Amino acid sequence: MNPQGVVRAAQAWLQSSMQVQVPFAWLEACVEWLQQEGGGASLPQHQLNQQVLDQWLLTDLRDLAHPVLPARLSQAHKSELIGSFCVQLDFVLDVSQPAYGQLQRWRGTDCINETVSAVTQASQRPWEAKPTRMLLLQVTDGVQSLEAMEYQPIPALSTTLRPGVKLLLQGQMTCRLGVLLLKPGNVKVLGGEVEELVERHCQGKVLCRALGLPEEEPQGLAERPE
Amino acid sequence: LNFAGPNCSDSAGPGDMIRRTQVKRVLCVAEKNDAAKGIADIMSNGRMRRMEGLSVYNKLYEYEYNLFGQNVTVCMTSVSGHLLGMEFKAPFQKWHSCNPVQLFDAEVEKYCPENSVQIKRTLEAEVRKCQALVIWTDCDREGENIGFEVIDVCRAVKPVLQVFRARFSEITPNSIRRACDTLTEPDINVSDAVDVRQELDLRIGASFTRFQTLRLQKIFPASLANQLISYGSCQFPTLGFVVERFKSIQAFIPETFYKIKVLHEVDEECVEFSWKRNRLFNHTACLVLYQICMEDPIATVISVSSKPKSKWRPLPLDTVEMEKLASRKLKISAKETMKIAEKLYTQGLISYPRTETNQFPKDLALGPLVEHQIPSPQWGGFARGVLELPGGPNPRQGTKTDQAHPPIHPTKYTDALQGNEQRLYEFIVRHFLACVSQDAMGQETVVDLDIADERFSANGLMIIKRNYLDVYPYDRWSAKVIPVYEVGSQFQPSAIEMVDGQTSPPQLLTEADLISLMEKHGIGTDATHADHIETIKSRMYVGLTADQRFLPGELGMGLVEGYNSMGYEMSKPALRAELEADLKLVSEGRKDKQGVLLHHINKYKAVFIESVKKAKRLDEALSAYLGAAQEFTESEQQDL
Ligand SMILES: [Mg+2]
């Protein structure tokens, strides 16, 4: 197959199997680079496809500048969105709980003594709502950034997702005041991360920003599981 | 008749011969004069002869009693708590006599302090006339140790002496007679645990206190020149809790949250439905959901559930719970509570107030105890009601037991008390009657709504039978009326509002909170919590706010920060908690006294040496509160 054919085949595969759209020029360069890395030998197409996908998962979509979301979606008061859209998650914050408590847990400085009180027979109030988690996601298609909220619990999401991870948003979604409302069927985690974002948007920094605190150096804490 | 009975284990040798000695006169020693008087009064049926001893506060009571199956003459007297103290030997007693580090190894001895000398002389004089000694001190660790102090003093003048221990939990006729019929041996393990604690407290307290006082007085002469800056391995963790809470309040960052509230007015009643999501810390996210509700503001009732709900009667009362409840409900401090309880106990009004047990033993007849309370115009009717329950008194049972004393309960009715004594007695009686009665019963209704896929709920409570609440005004349970809602019905709420609020920091500790923390971390015992709290107050390490919450003082803050910065968790509970756990093992005979003593001396000594090395950290921390530190030379350090 001629080089253009290989690139086109990869593009078709990304589009059909992963709903991933990439600029042709980027794909061309990527394929060329992969073949050089592989010692000039031409890789079988299915291996090449997979390696192209892996490269895309680790790329900051801002570098591709290839919009997939409807223009000015974030400015609409209310609109419906239908289709499949690959986006990148920049960072995530749980807005159902105080950021202060989350930051203390993240730093490992939460103090169990704070919850000790003299009342030994805690009165249970079953009608009182246990807060359901609500994650607020900062996502981008590389050109347009907007927020997305966990309108209904979505098990695939968590605050441990790596900044820069790619998500596939699909199906029918409402967008209000620039916020996408997500239900479990709307989200598929494709994987990946973006190295610079992992550092810049680690959970500790996200929480510090939410609290208006100076951002601390991660001091190895970014390696923590939570 | 010859006397046969258990003998004190450390009287090896001519035991058989001792047992054959005929007993004619028995010396009994209680922990306090009040207790001696109460016990004598019961044993003699009020016919004892009162005589003076050498100590004006400790009378002698003489009477005949049938003990060991024979008539003997009993001389009942008392000590005033500990008879002996522990001190370093003379060369180490003066503050500048040695480097404080030597206090970890310096020799210590028990001695009789000035105010106990007359009591000791009385015991020595009386025991010479007796063939047997019965220890009637309180049945707890300290009591056992006081018992051995009495035994040692008596044995020193009369080596051939038979020694017994009376075990009892209350000064009532039944309990005292049972104790007389079942005399046992004193428990050396329990007493050993107290010896270990005393010695460690002396060594640790004296070394750190001398070190930090001498140093800090020189470094901060303007504020501390004449101040004793005491250290204790219980005091400091206790202080640490107060500082920790204060700091977490300082560090706290309030955050704004938003929520949706639904109101429904029905026949002048307004029902408030609260949001199942509770609250969100993001304005836009909440506004999005609020807009969705407002576009279709019709509420659909999706479920109405009604189920019985009971409010549990209290558990039988143990010491810690009594201190906490008295502090919270009666506003009487733990220290004061224990003082009053002790007095009520020696007057025979309540059972022994130092207990970790919150379940009544099967063989304790509760009926008669309830019956005693019938004469009361306030709770007599309730007491009668308890007796008329099918099955009689029905205690709620906890899970803790110290195998020594039952839960605190009244043993006699009285209406002759005043002030706080009356209030605490009333509380103990009401708590007892409540815990042997029945849970309050109600019916709870929960109504769930759906508005545009958001969920809201409201609850109502109908009280069916108040039961224990009738005698226990310290608990509240309020009914809440909710109208009848039908599943599937729809209505237009009177209002749907988006409201905001702010998170707030935890509060400063109350005394009850502090006791809970000490208990949780094993600092001190239920018998000593109140004392440690009192110490940090009297040292001015902490103060109390207008609403009786603990606020650390500058000195307290500085000390805790200084020691924390050394890296040793001196103001954290772990070190002391391990010590406390080992003491328990010694008292159960599962660990050796000497081994435990050495282990903890070495551990604290190592910490001490490090602390001296890093003493500058203490100066630095304190100078944030007390101003610039004076220079302190190495040679001055050596002089210590
Ligand atoms: Mg006592």
Side-chain angles (χ1 to χ4, degrees):
Chain A
M1 213 185 289
N2 62 46
Q4 288 261 316
V6 172
V7 175
R8 275 202 197 89
Q11 187 176 35
W13 179 80
L14 284 174
Q15 171 68 51
S16 64
S17 58
M18 309 305 280
Q19 276 86 40
V20 173
Q21 295 179 32
V22 293
F24 192 79
W26 178 83
L27 195 56
E28 244 177 349
C30 182
V31 168
E32 191 181 332
W33 180 79
L34 284 170
Q35 280 170 342
Q36 277 167 17
E37 288 289 295
S42 64
L43 289 159
Q45 184 73 40
H46 70 275
Q47 270 185 34
L48 187 77
N49 291 346
Q50 189 57 51
Q51 289 187 19
V52 167
L53 177 65
D54 290 345
Q55 287 307 311
W56 178 78
L57 289 172
L58 299 173
T59 301
D60 189 339
L61 295 193
R62 270 170 280 258
D63 296 343
L64 304 191
H66 190 76
V68 296
L69 293 168
R72 286 191 298 283
L73 177 63
S74 61
Q75 273 113 57
H77 177 77
K78 177 184 171 185
S79 60
E80 293 295 321
L81 191 63
I82 302 178
S84 296
F85 311 91
C86 284
V87 296
Q88 170 175 306
L89 169 67
D90 284 344
F91 57 86
V92 58
L93 177 66
D94 183 354
V95 295
S96 68
Q97 302 178 56
Y100 184 66
Q102 296 183 62
L103 182 63
Q104 282 183 307
R105 277 196 297 283
W106 187 81
R107 286 174 173 167
T109 56
D110 50 327
C111 174
I112 47 161
N113 289 342
E114 272 172 33
T115 59
V116 170
S117 88
V119 187
T120 41
Q121 291 181 22
S123 47
Q124 7 120 241
R125 299 185 214 164
W127 69 87
E128 249 187 23
K130 286 183 204 75
T132 25
R133 181 184 76 173
M134 183 188 278
L135 297 178
L136 198 62
L137 286 57
Q138 183 70 39
V139 296
T140 181
D141 65 357
V143 173
Q144 186 176 196
S145 287
L146 77 166
E147 286 176 318
M149 69 190 244
E150 190 181 18
Y151 179 55
Q152 290 172 4
I154 304 172
L157 297 178
S158 83
T159 52
T160 61
L161 285 174
R162 307 281 284 173
V165 65
K166 308 300 182 288
L167 307 177
L168 173 62
L169 305 182
Q170 56 191 357
Q172 191 170 355
M173 291 159 276
T174 304
C175 186
R176 281 174 176 264
L177 305 179
V179 182
L180 267 177
L181 275 59
L182 303 177
K183 299 179 184 179
N186 296 136
V187 185
K188 194 176 161 203
V189 176
L190 301 178
E193 64 178 44
V194 174
E195 211 180 326
E196 305 91 82
L197 300 185
V198 167
E199 165 89 359
R200 197 184 319 153
H201 297 310
C202 77
Q203 203 38 213
K205 289 190 173 179
V206 170
L207 292 166
C208 283
R209 284 198 291 267
L211 289 165
L213 291 175
E215 290 175 27
E216 56 193 271
E217 285 307 305
Q219 296 170 341
L221 282 174
E223 303 302 316
R224 288 165 54 100
E226 290 208 20
Chain B
L1 265 177
N2 281 338
F3 162 62
N7 208 333
C8 187
S9 54
D10 63 351
S11 74
D16 276 342
M17 212 177 71
I18 292 171
R19 282 203 192 93
R20 310 254 173 256
T21 316
Q22 204 185 356
V23 176
K24 288 184 183 139
R25 192 178 167 88
V26 176
L27 179 65
C28 292
V29 184
E31 193 166 314
K32 299 214 168 80
N33 182 61
D34 278 353
K37 186 177 164 204
I39 297 164
D41 192 49
I42 289 169
M43 288 174 77
S44 68
N45 280 320
R47 285 193 291 270
M48 74 274 206
R49 300 172 290 278
R50 194 181 94 156
M51 300 174 304
E52 296 298 318
L54 294 169
S55 156
V56 289
Y57 306 109
N58 304 82
K59 309 295 178 196
L60 305 173
Y61 304 94
E62 196 184 70
Y63 48 92
E64 317 304 319
Y65 193 81
N66 191 290
L67 204 59
F68 324 119
Q70 68 188 76
N71 288 323
V72 298
T73 302
V74 173
C75 174
M76 170 68 73
T77 186
S78 56
V79 288
S80 296
H82 279 282
L83 182 60
L84 306 178
M86 191 179 277
E87 208 12 303
F88 293 106
K89 287 204 166 167
F92 303 98
Q93 284 181 15
K94 287 244 163 56
W95 271 53
H96 290 277
S97 61
C98 66
N99 185 318
V101 73
Q102 286 179 265
L103 297 176
F104 285 98
D105 309 297
E107 266 193 277
V108 295
E109 62 188 354
K110 288 211 174 186
Y111 73 107
C112 183
E114 199 53 39
N115 56 3
S116 295
V117 170
Q118 301 298 8
I119 298 173
K120 181 170 175 253
R121 290 210 183 120
T122 304
L123 292 179
E124 287 165 345
E126 290 303 319
V127 78
R128 287 200 171 91
K129 306 178 220 160
C130 298
Q131 296 77 46
L133 169 68
V134 182
I135 301 299
W136 285 88
T137 50
D138 295 347
C139 293
D140 57 14
R141 270 195 208 167
E142 295 301 319
E144 213 63 24
N145 188 262
I146 295 167
F148 275 92
E149 291 170 2
V150 171
I151 293 168
D152 290 347
V153 164
C154 291
R155 277 255 164 83
V157 296
K158 183 139 189 169
V160 187
L161 182 70
Q162 304 175 68
V163 176
F164 302 90
R165 176 70 161 119
R167 302 217 176 266
F168 58 105
S169 289
E170 53 197 52
I171 303 179
T172 57
N174 281 340
S175 172
I176 296 302
R177 286 200 195 102
R178 194 179 324 118
C180 291
D181 291 343
T182 56
L183 292 177
T184 62
E185 285 180 50
D187 188 335
I188 188 71
N189 293 327
V190 172
S191 174
D192 280 350
V194 176
D195 282 341
V196 173
R197 197 222 2 105
Q198 276 181 343
E199 187 173 333
L200 287 171
D201 281 352
L202 175 65
R203 292 186 188 281
I204 298 164
S207 53
F208 277 98
T209 300
R210 285 188 201 181
F211 153 67
Q212 66 185 24
T213 302
L214 293 175
R215 180 180 180 96
L216 297 174
Q217 281 183 348
K218 283 213 177 113
I219 291 182
F220 301 101
S223 22
L224 301 178
N226 296 309
Q227 189 144 353
L228 174 75
I229 306 162
S230 74
Y231 178 89
S233 60
C234 278
Q235 263 180 60
F236 258 56
T238 307
L239 170 61
F241 294 132
V242 175
V243 172
E244 178 186 73
R245 178 60 63 95
F246 178 77
K247 293 192 154 242
S248 60
I249 294 169
Q250 279 191 319
F252 187 82
I253 301 170
E255 288 166 76
T256 305
F257 57 80
Y258 305 88
K259 51 166 76 184
I260 303 174
K261 179 169 107 174
V262 173
L263 298 173
H264 186 213
E265 279 173 40
V266 191
D267 308 332
E268 316 209 335
E269 294 278 350
C270 185
V271 187
E272 184 180 327
F273 288 85
S274 56
W275 197 18
K276 284 278 193 188
R277 291 189 197 266
N278 191 11
R279 55 188 186 174
L280 292 179
F281 290 82
N282 182 286
H283 181 262
T284 313
C286 189
L287 189 59
V288 164
L289 300 173
Y290 178 68
Q291 285 187 353
I292 294 174
C293 289
M294 293 309 281
E295 282 173 17
D296 183 17
I298 297 296
T300 307
V301 178
I302 53 169
S303 82
V304 177
S305 65
S306 181
K307 57 174 192 295
K309 185 172 167 74
S310 48
K311 186 168 173 65
W312 290 342
R313 61 200 190 281
L315 285 169
L317 197 59
D318 60 35
T319 304
V320 167
E321 205 57 26
M322 176 175 73
E323 288 175 339
K324 291 197 287 190
L325 286 168
S327 177
R328 279 172 53 221
K329 308 287 183 180
L330 308 179
K331 308 284 173 218
I332 303 177
S333 76
K335 178 88 182 163
E336 176 77 359
T337 297
M338 290 317 292
K339 209 177 102 196
I340 297 171
E342 197 95 42
K343 195 165 168 204
L344 297 173
Y345 159 73
T346 49
Q347 290 172 352
L349 295 170
I350 63 167
S351 62
Y352 192 59
R354 298 188 192 282
T355 173
E356 291 169 26
T357 307
N358 64 358
Q359 47 182 282
F360 280 104
K362 294 244 177 323
D363 58 352
L364 182 68
L366 297 169
L369 296 174
V370 175
E371 214 176 311
H372 285 156
Q373 300 298 329
I374 288 179
S376 163
Q378 286 118 18
W379 54 78
F382 187 89
R384 191 173 298 117
V386 167
L387 293 172
E388 284 162 7
L389 290 174
N394 173 30
R396 189 173 158 218
Q397 295 287 58
T399 54
K400 294 186 289 180
T401 173
D402 59 13
Q403 308 287 358
H405 298 285
I408 303 163
H409 61 270
T411 50
K412 201 157 98 183
Y413 173 70
T414 180
D415 58 2
L417 298 170
Q418 302 286 318
N420 281 347
E421 287 178 23
Q422 189 280 326
R423 293 172 68 225
L424 186 65
Y425 174 77
E426 174 172 346
F427 166 75
I428 291 168
V429 174
R430 288 183 180 277
H431 190 101
F432 170 69
L433 292 174
C435 88
V436 298
S437 66
Q438 289 176 306
D439 296 340
M441 282 159 37
Q443 189 77 16
E444 186 186 60
T445 305
V446 180
V447 178
D448 288 328
L449 297 184
D450 178 300
I451 301 175
D453 281 343
E454 290 302 303
R455 297 293 166 89
F456 301 85
S457 80
N459 77 299
L461 177 69
M462 192 165 69
I463 296 174
I464 296 167
K465 283 193 92 171
R466 288 179 49 82
N467 288 335
Y468 91 89
L469 290 169
D470 283 335
V471 79
Y472 201 68
Y474 319 102
D475 272 0
R476 291 191 191 290
W477 208 30
S478 338
K480 195 171 152 194
V481 178
I482 192 168
V484 176
Y485 286 94
E486 297 269 348
V487 175
S489 66
Q490 294 193 317
F491 61 89
Q492 172 105 35
S494 321
I496 302 178
E497 293 168 7
M498 179 163 149
V499 293
D500 59 22
Q502 273 216 326
T503 54
S504 52
Q507 287 193 291
L508 289 170
L509 295 174
T510 62
E511 184 177 42
D513 297 331
L514 192 49
I515 292 171
S516 301
L517 284 169
M518 295 172 80
E519 192 190 19
K520 176 168 184 273
H521 291 282
I523 298 303
T525 64
D526 58 332
T528 59
H529 292 151
D531 296 324
H532 301 312
I533 294 173
E534 207 55 33
T535 309
I536 60 169
K537 278 199 269 185
S538 67
R539 296 289 179 220
M540 314 285 275
Y541 292 161
V542 301
L544 283 176
T545 62
D547 60 344
Q548 301 296 300
R549 288 174 182 274
F550 287 88
L551 191 66
E554 293 184 327
L555 182 55
M557 289 278 286
L559 289 171
V560 168
E561 285 173 10
Y563 281 115
N564 279 353
S565 75
M566 293 178 189
Y568 278 103
E569 311 265 280
M570 300 260 293
S571 61
K572 299 279 166 67
L575 217 55
R576 177 71 197 196
E578 196 206 321
L579 196 167
E580 215 80 59
D582 273 352
L583 292 182
K584 190 150 193 288
L585 292 173
V586 171
S587 77
E588 291 163 354
R590 292 159 59 194
K591 256 196 181 178
D592 162 64
K593 173 183 179 175
Q594 280 309 320
V596 167
L597 197 52
L598 262 172
H599 173 73
H600 289 280
I601 287 177
N602 287 333
K603 220 163 98 177
Y604 273 94
K605 187 177 175 183
V607 174
F608 181 84
I609 291 169
E610 276 304 299
S611 302
V612 172
K613 268 194 217 150
K614 296 177 180 166
K616 269 214 167 342
R617 304 267 176 95
L618 208 51
D619 313 344
E620 284 159 15
L622 276 160
S623 65
Y625 299 99
L626 304 177
Q630 299 284 312
E631 268 309 304
F632 193 73
T633 62
E634 283 305 309
S635 71
E636 278 177 294
Q637 173 78 63
Q638 295 304 313
D639 287 348
L640 292 183

